[in-house]
Amino acid sequence: MQKLKKYSKLITTGMLVIFPPIFFLSYYPLISLGSTESMNLELSLPEIWLVLFFLFSLPQIPDLFRFYKLKNLCIIALIPLYFALSAIWSDNRLRTILTSGLSFLVIFAMLSLIYRLKNDVKNRLRHHLIKSLLYASAIVSAFCWVQCIADVAGFDRHITLLCSGCTASMFGFPHPSGFAIEPQFMGNLLLAPTLLCFYLVSTSVFTTRKKKVLLFSLTLFLTMTLFLTLSRGAIYAFVVALLTLQIWIHKKSAFFKSLGICILAGIFSLAGFGFLSVLGPTSDGFRTGATKALHQLSLGIIDLRQKVAEPINNTTPVSSVVDVEEEIPYQPPAPIFDGYVPESTNTRLNLNSLAIKTWASSPQYITIGAGLGSAGLAMHSYNPEEIGPKEIVQNQYVSLLLEVGLVGCATVLGVVIFTTFTLIKHKLLAKNPLPICTVLGFLLTLCFFSGLPNALHVYLFPLLFLNFSHVSKNYLLIKDIV
């Protein structure tokens, strides 16, 4: 048994080290298993990783029980247990069973990661995890820029892996989705590593000039790529989380360093949109691309776009026009959107409104919900003409309210509060503000999307920073990361 446990720890340690890059591959590659009327049956690498990690961790379960105590585990287990029970009254039973199973695997991985980091006395595992996170984010960010260049060079999106709404034909410039399903998820994936870089910059952890330049360059590059995704949800959440981090650190020098990096990243990313517009297949130019991106990101508030001149009426008599055949020069097509797209905001608001109306339409929905993962089918049943059964709410909080009701939301909130106080009690949140600010950023992003499979990193990435500090034991390891 001891030998089995030893091999189990060895394998799962390796799996933990590679989990950051695996989770960056949240949609590509994807194994399609078909579909039903209300859902697509697909397997992603993070989902496969969760299953394998659970299976290889089975010999370590007795250690987890001793570490967490039965009472604490029973309280935490209330969430997956309630999710699983909702299959009894679910409108979409298959999806409820699969989603509740996935939620169990995520919670198990969270508990295992906390346990391993807490017992990582020499911080070697944490060192490798953070190094893996930063390397993965840098490599995938580079791929994002390659995606954009390949798109304006004329490569098909099935080669570039861009989503259908991400190509240059939409805004005149592409915005990358990386290996995620959409740019908002790509931007979301960059939140944790980018905030980590800003934390390291703000705490002046590196002393040599070379290390400082590398850290500055990495921070600037990740921030530029985050802005390049054009995901308002991820960018807004990043700004709030970073501002909270700087207020917490409370250093003028750190604040101005971070502000300078953000300004530079904003200028370079706007310039990137401009150059991509020049190289792209549409009629947009540098100024058009840069100002259009700013218009979209500011919800139409900042409008520096060049005004289009009104067409001049031609009063020349038809008889005076010389009938000469001339070859009309090729005119590149105009992009579909000329700036801020209100529909992207209105669609989300309409879905939220419909979800709340659906929730309020039934005493069952109000109390115990429609069943985990059943929001789309429930809204379709309530208003079949407005929405299809595969649609999602685009707001995790509203979606959860509809799917698990007040009882389920109270259960989740209670377990979260209990877990937070437990982490504080064991001094896992006392070292620095990074994990709290990262969680804050992710909590804000959940207002802009819903669904578990494409956002599994939200629940695991913040745990990398628990009990993490640039001082004492961690310092000797952190200074070697970049």
Side-chain angles (χ1 to χ4, degrees), residues 56 156 175 188 241 338 373 460:
F56 283 115
D156 188 87
H175 50 295
N188 201 277
D338 61 356
L460 290 173

Side-chain angles (χ1 to χ4, degrees), residues 171 173 284 288-296 305 335 337-339:
F171 285 97
F173 54 79
D284 276 2
T288 311
T291 56
K292 189 184 291 185
L294 190 60
H295 193 243
Q296 169 70 2
R305 298 172 299 167
F337 302 118
D338 61 356

Side-chain angles (χ1 to χ4, degrees), residues 21-97:
I22 290 292
F23 276 54
F24 269 95
L25 306 174
S26 60
Y27 193 72
Y28 293 103
L30 193 71
I31 301 173
S32 179
L33 303 175
S35 63
T36 66
E37 181 185 356
S38 58
M39 64 180 293
N40 295 321
L41 300 172
E42 299 167 335
L43 269 179
S44 65
L45 286 185
E47 291 169 343
I48 295 173
W49 182 92
L50 285 170
V51 173
L52 293 177
F53 182 77
F54 171 72
L55 293 176
F56 283 115
S57 299
L58 287 176
Q60 302 173 55
I61 288 181
D63 293 339
L64 292 177
F65 270 92
R66 283 191 292 270
F67 178 76
Y68 286 105
K69 310 300 182 186
L70 182 60
K71 175 188 172 182
N72 295 333
L73 287 176
C74 287
I75 293 174
I76 295 171
L78 289 176
I79 292 179
L81 180 62
Y82 184 87
F83 288 170
L85 285 175
S86 69
I88 298 173
W89 59 82
S90 174
D91 292 347
N92 192 348
R93 190 161 297 168
L94 176 61
R95 185 163 187 163
T96 301
I97 293 171

Side-chain angles (χ1 to χ4, degrees), residues 69 71-72 118 417-430:
K69 310 300 182 186
K71 175 188 172 182
N72 295 333
K118 180 65 176 175
I417 292 173
F418 168 78
T419 305
T420 303
F421 277 108
T422 303
L423 291 174
I424 294 173
K425 180 181 177 181
H426 289 85
K427 299 180 180 180
L428 289 173
L429 295 176

Side-chain angles (χ1 to χ4, degrees), residues 188-222:
N188 201 277
L189 281 159
L190 289 174
L191 275 179
T194 307
L195 288 171
L196 169 62
C197 286
F198 273 99
Y199 172 74
L200 296 178
V201 167
S202 301
T203 50
S204 302
V205 67
F206 297 113
T207 54
T208 66
R209 181 179 179 83
K210 181 180 178 181
K211 294 283 187 179
K212 287 180 179 179
V213 171
L214 282 173
L215 179 60
F216 174 84
S217 302
L218 180 60
T219 308
L220 179 63
F221 182 56
L222 295 185

Side-chain angles (χ1 to χ4, degrees), residues 431-480:
K431 292 285 186 177
N432 70 81
L434 183 58
I436 296 175
C437 293
T438 305
V439 169
L440 173 63
F442 282 137
L443 289 176
L444 291 174
T445 62
L446 292 178
C447 295
F448 298 89
F449 66 85
S450 61
L452 189 60
N454 295 309
L456 295 168
H457 63 280
V458 168
Y459 307 96
L460 290 173
F461 278 4
L463 300 181
L464 299 179
F465 309 140
L466 288 179
N467 200 32
F468 172 82
S469 175
H470 69 286
V471 296
S472 68
K473 294 180 181 179
N474 285 318
Y475 176 75
L476 295 175
L477 295 170
I478 296 170
K479 71 186 183 70
D480 294 324

Side-chain angles (χ1 to χ4, degrees), residues 89 97 109 111 137 192 230 280-281 306 329-330 332 336 345 352 385 388 454:
W89 59 82
I97 293 171
L111 293 173
S137 58
L230 208 67
Q306 190 172 10
Y330 171 74
I336 296 175
T345 303
N352 292 345
E385 295 180 358
N454 295 309

